[in-house]
Amino acid sequence: MSKLPKTFLWGGALAANQFEGGYDQGGKGLSVIDVMTGGAHGKAREITASVEADKYYPNHVGIDFYHRYKEDIALFKEMGLQCLRTSIAWTRIFPNGDELEPNEEGLQFYDHVFDELIQNNIEPIITLSHFEMPLHLAREYGGFRNRKVADHFARFAQVVFERYKDKVTYWMTFNEINNQMDTSNPIFLWTNSGVSLNDSDNPEEVLYQVAHNELIASAMAVKIGKSINPNFKIGSMIAYVPIYPYSCHPKDMMEAQIANRLRYFFPDVQVRGEYPSYATKMFEQKGYHIGWQDGDDEILREGTVDYIGFSYYMSTVVKHDSQTVVDNNIVNGGLPNSVENPHIETSDWGWAIDPEGLRYALNVLYERYQVPLFIVENGFGAIDKVENNQIHDAYRIDYLRQHIEAAIDAVDKDGVDLIGYTPWGIIDIVSFTTGEMKKRYGLIYVDRDNEGKGTLERLKKDSFYWYQKVIETNGEDLGE
C-alpha cells in the first residue's frame, strides 16, 4: 500500500521569466527581470535602467519555451508529470501593467500552453506573479510602494481568473513573497515588488509598507478568484528556510524564535487574515507607518488562502552572540548571525543540504497553520557534464530521493496534509539568483551556456528516468 494518497500530485516547477524567452514577442512588455544582467556565484546581477545593447540579459531567451512548448510538454508527459507549476508573465497580459484592456495575444499564448498540458494529462498549477512585475509599474509608480499597484494586480488577476477558470484549479498569488525580508540584498525588493531603495529610506519600514500593499493585493485576488470559481484553490507561496538554534542555550533558542518571524510574517497574515501581534508591537515600538487604510482589516479577513505552497532548499542556524555574514547575506537564509551547521554538507554554491529539515518544515508549518501544504520548489543546483549525450547526475537523484523520503515520512508518520511535490527547474533554466545556466536543477538538460551559446537541444538526464519511476509508483520505488 502506498504511503501517499492516490490524489498526490507529482510534477515539476518553473517560472515564466526563467524559461519562456520571447521577452519582446506577442505584445509582451518589459518586466523587472528583463533589465537584470547575467551574474555569477559571488558576482551580483546588475539592474539596468532599461535594456542596454552592450549588456547580456539571459532571461530574454531563457530556454525558448515560447517557441518550443509542445516539444517540452511532450517530454514532461514522457516523464510522467501529473502537474506543472509555472507562472503567467504579467507583462504578456498587461505589457505596462496599467492598461484597462489586456493583450489578447498574450492570453492566447497561455490558452495554447494550458490546452497542451491538459491534453497531455498534466494539470497547470499557476502562480500569478513570479518576479515578473511590469517594468513600467516599477519605474513610474514605485512598484508596490504605491497602493495603486495593488489595484492593477487585482485587475490582472481578474482577467486571468476569468480566462482560465475552466483550465486551472490551483493558483498562487505571489512567488516567495517573503524572500524580500532580506533588505540587505536589493535584488529581492526589486524582483518581488519593483522597489528600489533611496538613501533616505529606512529599508525595514519600506519593506513593511510594500508588504502591506502586496498582502492587500493578494487578498483582493483571492476574493475575486473565489467569486469567479468557488472551486479554485488559491494559495500563498513562501520561501521556507527553517532557522535552527545553534545550541540549547536559552539565548540561542530565543534568537531562533525571533528570527523565524521573518519566515512566518506573510503566511501569518495570508492564512489568518490579520496581522500577528509581534508585528504590530514592532510597528508601535519603532514608529512605523505601513499605509493602513480604512477597510483593510476586512480585505485581509475575506482574502485568506486555501493552502501554503513553499520552496525548500536548505536550513540555516543562528547563534545569539555571532555576527557572521555568510556569503553576502545570501547563503543559508542570509541572516547576520548565521553560522555553519556542522552536522550537514553543502552544495557547490554553499547551500546547506538538509533533507531532514524538509520533514521538520512540513511539521512546523502544518502544526502552525492547519491548512494543506504543497512543496512547489525543491531541487539541487549543480554543474552537469555531458558525456556521449548522457548526463549521469546521481548526486541529483540522491538529493531528490532523500527529500522525497522526508516528505513521505511527514505524511505517513506525522499526518501532514500534503498536496504534492514539484521539484524546481524540472528542465534546465536560467538561475534566478545568478542568471547562470551552469547552475542546473533540471532533469532535462538544455544545451545553453552562461554566455547564451548553444543549440538549445534537450537531453534526458539519468534523473529523468529515475523520477519517471518514482511517479509511476507514487513514491514507492525510490531506487537505491
Side-chain angles (χ1 to χ4, degrees), residues 110-140:
Y110 291 109
D111 273 323
H112 298 325
V113 170
F114 297 162
D115 289 344
E116 191 73 16
L117 287 168
I118 291 165
Q119 287 166 16
N120 285 280
N121 297 313
I122 301 171
E123 183 169 356
I125 312 287
I126 302 303
T127 309
L128 290 174
S129 180
H130 193 136
F131 310 153
E132 289 139 353
M133 170 182 283
L135 183 63
H136 176 74
L137 294 184
R139 297 293 190 210
E140 300 302 320

Side-chain angles (χ1 to χ4, degrees), residues 432-448:
F432 160 62
T433 51
T434 65
E436 296 176 288
M437 276 299 296
K438 75 174 184 179
K439 185 183 183 183
R440 299 177 183 273
Y441 285 87
L443 281 60
I444 300 167
Y445 183 89
V446 178
D447 180 28
R448 187 169 177 82

Side-chain angles (χ1 to χ4, degrees), residues 85-101:
R85 184 239 166 170
T86 185
S87 60
I88 291 174
W90 188 346
T91 52
R92 286 205 189 282
I93 312 306
F94 289 97
N96 288 321
D98 58 0
E99 297 93 344
L100 296 179
E101 297 298 325

Side-chain angles (χ1 to χ4, degrees), residues 32 90 133-150 152 189-190 192-196 209-210 213-214:
V32 292
W90 188 346
M133 170 182 283
L135 183 63
H136 176 74
L137 294 184
R139 297 293 190 210
E140 300 302 320
Y141 289 75
F144 271 101
R145 283 181 188 255
N146 191 327
R147 178 71 173 235
K148 292 179 182 177
V149 172
H152 293 311
L189 269 171
W190 175 252
N192 278 59
S193 304
V195 170
S196 299
Q209 292 167 348
V210 167
N213 289 336
E214 259 186 287

Side-chain angles (χ1 to χ4, degrees), residues 39-43 313-314 326-333 340 345-353 379-385 395-396 429-441 450:
H41 184 42
K43 178 188 174 185
Y313 294 100
M314 57 192 159
V326 183
D327 196 14
N328 195 29
N329 267 2
I330 296 174
V331 169
N332 295 348
E340 298 288 353
E345 298 177 352
T346 59
S347 73
D348 291 340
W349 273 262
W351 289 19
I353 300 173
F380 188 68
I383 298 170
D384 295 328
K385 293 182 180 178
Y395 42 85
R396 183 170 291 108
I429 56 176
V430 174
S431 168
F432 160 62
T433 51
T434 65
E436 296 176 288
M437 276 299 296
K438 75 174 184 179
K439 185 183 183 183
R440 299 177 183 273
Y441 285 87
N450 285 0

Side-chain angles (χ1 to χ4, degrees), residues 20-322:
E20 272 186 9
Y23 87 103
D24 59 353
Q25 297 181 42
K28 182 182 177 298
L30 289 177
S31 75
V32 292
I33 209 90
D34 288 327
V35 292
M36 289 178 62
T37 66
H41 184 42
K43 178 188 174 185
R45 303 182 71 176
E46 181 186 353
I47 301 169
T48 59
S50 191
V51 174
E52 298 178 11
D54 61 342
K55 304 282 188 181
Y56 174 56
Y57 302 91
N59 299 74
H60 286 186
V61 173
I63 60 167
D64 196 31
F65 177 83
Y66 188 76
H67 298 104
R68 298 167 180 257
Y69 69 88
K70 290 188 177 183
E71 170 192 348
D72 288 339
I73 291 171
L75 284 168
F76 299 155
K77 179 184 180 182
E78 183 183 347
M79 199 189 305
L81 298 194
Q82 297 162 350
C83 66
L84 180 72
R85 184 239 166 170
T86 185
S87 60
I88 291 174
W90 188 346
T91 52
R92 286 205 189 282
I93 312 306
F94 289 97
N96 288 321
D98 58 0
E99 297 93 344
L100 296 179
E101 297 298 325
N103 171 36
E104 178 61 24
E105 195 171 351
L107 289 166
Q108 287 178 5
F109 171 71
Y110 291 109
D111 273 323
H112 298 325
V113 170
F114 297 162
D115 289 344
E116 191 73 16
L117 287 168
I118 291 165
Q119 287 166 16
N120 285 280
N121 297 313
I122 301 171
E123 183 169 356
I125 312 287
I126 302 303
T127 309
L128 290 174
S129 180
H130 193 136
F131 310 153
E132 289 139 353
M133 170 182 283
L135 183 63
H136 176 74
L137 294 184
R139 297 293 190 210
E140 300 302 320
Y141 289 75
F144 271 101
R145 283 181 188 255
N146 191 327
R147 178 71 173 235
K148 292 179 182 177
V149 172
D151 295 324
H152 293 311
F153 178 80
R155 182 186 299 116
F156 161 60
Q158 180 160 3
V159 166
V160 298
F161 284 151
E162 281 283 2
R163 182 74 169 223
Y164 310 120
K165 64 180 182 291
D166 299 320
K167 299 180 181 182
V168 179
T169 299
Y170 284 95
W171 302 85
M172 284 165 275
T173 52
F174 292 94
N175 179 71
E176 292 188 334
I177 190 171
N178 63 325
N179 75 1
Q180 57 196 319
M181 301 295 274
D182 178 10
T183 56
S184 67
N185 190 333
I187 189 177
F188 295 135
L189 269 171
W190 175 252
T191 52
N192 278 59
S193 304
V195 170
S196 299
L197 293 173
N198 303 314
D199 291 340
S200 59
D201 284 330
N202 177 329
E204 187 177 62
E205 185 172 22
V206 171
L207 162 70
Y208 285 106
Q209 292 167 348
V210 167
H212 183 68
N213 289 336
E214 259 186 287
L215 288 164
I216 290 294
S218 176
M220 290 194 298
V222 171
K223 186 175 181 180
I224 290 166
K226 291 290 188 175
S227 70
I228 290 169
N229 185 345
N231 294 321
F232 278 166
K233 302 295 183 186
I234 307 175
S236 63
M237 196 293 193
I238 61 170
Y240 193 67
V241 180
I243 301 171
Y244 304 148
Y246 179 74
S247 73
C248 55
H249 191 299
K251 287 186 180 296
D252 283 349
M253 298 296 290
M254 197 62 214
E255 193 67 35
Q257 173 74 16
I258 293 170
N260 269 302
R261 293 170 183 168
L262 298 172
R263 308 287 182 252
Y264 300 138
F265 170 72
F266 281 96
D268 277 355
V269 180
Q270 290 180 296
V271 175
R272 296 170 175 165
E274 61 184 15
Y275 272 78
S277 58
Y278 61 79
T280 55
K281 176 59 70 173
M282 186 263 286
F283 299 157
E284 175 190 324
Q285 291 171 338
K286 296 187 176 182
Y288 288 172
H289 299 283
I290 63 169
W292 189 276
Q293 297 182 10
D294 289 343
D296 282 0
D297 52 350
E298 183 179 359
I299 292 171
L300 294 176
R301 193 168 54 247
E302 293 180 348
T304 56
V305 296
D306 299 309
Y307 68 95
I308 296 174
F310 70 99
S311 61
Y312 178 84
Y313 294 100
M314 57 192 159
S315 58
T316 195
V317 177
V318 293
K319 193 169 185 289
H320 76 277
D321 56 356
S322 171

